[in-house]
Amino acid sequence: MAATPKPETLAAFEAAKGFMPVREGLALHKAAVDAAALGLPLLEVGTYCGRSTILLADAAREAGVTAVTVDHHRGSEEQQPGWEYHDPTVVDPEVGLMDTLPAFRRTLHHAGLEEHVIAVVGRSPQVAKVWAGEVGLVFIDGGHTDEHATNDYEGWAPKVAEGGLLVIHDVFPDPADGGQAPYRIYLRALASGAFTEVSVTDSLRVLRRVASGI
């Protein structure tokens, strides 16, 4: 499979609601293509409206594996009312809470990728506890507090198969550029000795699992 997505896939990605820039998206897609060769699922923590899911699903489709995405769909802390990334169009008017699941489903439908994705609606630590198998890739892009980032790392990094990839988004070494929680779990992954860095694309870090034990 080509390391770059087809034009229609890239167009669907660019049209989808979300925050990932194209350069980082292309790096994510390349990592997903690499990891999909292991024949294991590709797993994303933090779905929002499915922008990055399109890229994982495209790689999964071509390799004959499945993309899995985990999110409670109530929005992370910075997406709540009064915060910078709040979008009132994804608030459920009946219950008054964010609900990005309908937008996510529309995103996959428009991209023609619904059958290649399993959407798990739940909180990352709970899902990780009941997930028994290995995965070829884990993409961490959930809540950006230390609590949430640490839970995502501790819950999912051990499930990356040897030779598989751990991808972390919004890694900012300089605090002036953004929150530090993803950067801290990135450093923790490197310090563990279980991962080695493969690539850096702006705030996206790709690490390969090279040893057991985290």
Side-chain angles (χ1 to χ4, degrees):
M1 177 186 171
T4 55
K6 297 174 183 176
E8 58 270 26
T9 301
L10 186 57
F13 166 78
E14 291 182 304
K17 188 187 293 290
F19 309 105
M20 174 169 278
V22 172
R23 269 176 48 88
E24 294 179 344
L26 292 175
L28 174 64
H29 185 268
K30 182 178 180 181
V33 170
D34 180 338
L38 294 175
L40 295 168
L42 310 176
L43 188 138
E44 170 183 59
V45 181
T47 312
Y48 192 51
C49 297
R51 184 176 170 95
S52 55
T53 314
I54 290 173
L55 303 175
L56 299 182
D58 180 68
R61 172 179 59 186
E62 295 300 317
V65 300
T66 300
V68 180
T69 186
V70 178
D71 200 310
H72 50 69
H73 286 280
R74 292 300 189 195
S76 56
E77 56 282 347
E78 69 270 18
Q79 294 163 357
Q80 302 307 316
W83 290 82
E84 181 180 1
Y85 293 103
H86 180 63
D87 182 349
T89 68
V90 290
V91 173
D92 182 337
E94 183 171 335
V95 300
L97 299 173
M98 287 190 66
D99 185 1
T100 55
L101 184 59
F104 163 70
R105 298 201 66 177
R106 286 192 294 271
T107 295
L108 287 188
H109 173 75
H110 293 321
L113 291 167
E114 285 182 288
E115 64 184 278
H116 304 286
V117 178
I118 296 174
V120 180
V121 181
R123 296 189 177 273
S124 170
Q126 294 173 298
V127 179
K129 285 180 181 178
V130 300
W131 185 279
E134 292 185 317
V135 294
L137 176 145
V138 165
F139 174 42
I140 297 180
D141 193 22
H144 287 17
T145 64
D146 278 306
E147 177 187 3
H148 291 136
T150 298
N151 285 341
D152 292 341
Y153 174 77
E154 292 180 350
W156 293 106
K159 301 182 189 300
V160 178
E162 189 168 337
L165 298 177
L166 173 66
V167 184
I168 306 173
H169 194 216
D170 293 327
V171 174
F172 298 112
D174 186 344
D177 294 329
Q180 295 292 285
Y183 179 56
R184 281 190 275 269
I185 63 168
Y186 157 75
L187 293 178
R188 182 174 171 184
L190 290 177
S192 73
F195 293 94
T196 184
E197 189 164 81
V198 174
S199 69
V200 174
T201 304
D202 300 329
S203 77
L204 192 83
R205 303 293 190 273
V206 179
L207 311 177
R208 190 178 304 277
R209 180 76 179 265
V210 294
S212 59
I214 298 178

